[in-house]
Amino acid sequence: MEPYVIYIGFFSGFCTTIAFVPQAYKVWKTKSTKDISLLMFVVFTTGIVGWLIYGILSDNLPIIIANIITFFLALLILIAKIKFD
């Protein structure tokens, strides 16, 4: 694989992962998840696990790293949704 392809993967993973940081911060700061759909977040988190497994099986480091971090952030929001609602 060309190096620029890996850089694109890392950049894209960074952007999609970092997008969750403000939401996770807001949820934990306000303890409010009333506007977040539980079903959507369960499906989303399941998809993240699927991407993580895919990344591991295909030995794709950008996908692995991005989805480990995104899984952690989504899990925090999911736990908050269950706990605070």
Side-chain angles (χ1 to χ4, degrees), residues 58-85:
S58 63
D59 196 31
N60 191 316
L61 195 57
I63 290 176
I64 294 168
I65 292 171
N67 283 286
I68 285 172
I69 297 168
T70 305
F71 175 73
F72 175 73
L73 294 169
L75 192 60
L76 287 176
I77 294 170
L78 191 57
I79 289 168
K81 178 68 177 166
I82 293 166
K83 182 178 179 180
F84 300 141
D85 275 2

Side-chain angles (χ1 to χ4, degrees), residues 15-31:
C15 289
T16 57
T17 299
I18 201 72
F20 274 87
V21 172
Q23 186 66 57
Y25 176 76
K26 182 177 181 180
V27 164
W28 281 99
K29 183 178 176 187
T30 65
K31 309 276 191 267

Side-chain angles (χ1 to χ4, degrees), residues 3-25:
Y4 73 91
V5 174
I6 294 172
Y7 296 140
I8 292 171
F10 276 118
F11 175 74
S12 300
F14 173 79
C15 289
T16 57
T17 299
I18 201 72
F20 274 87
V21 172
Q23 186 66 57
Y25 176 76

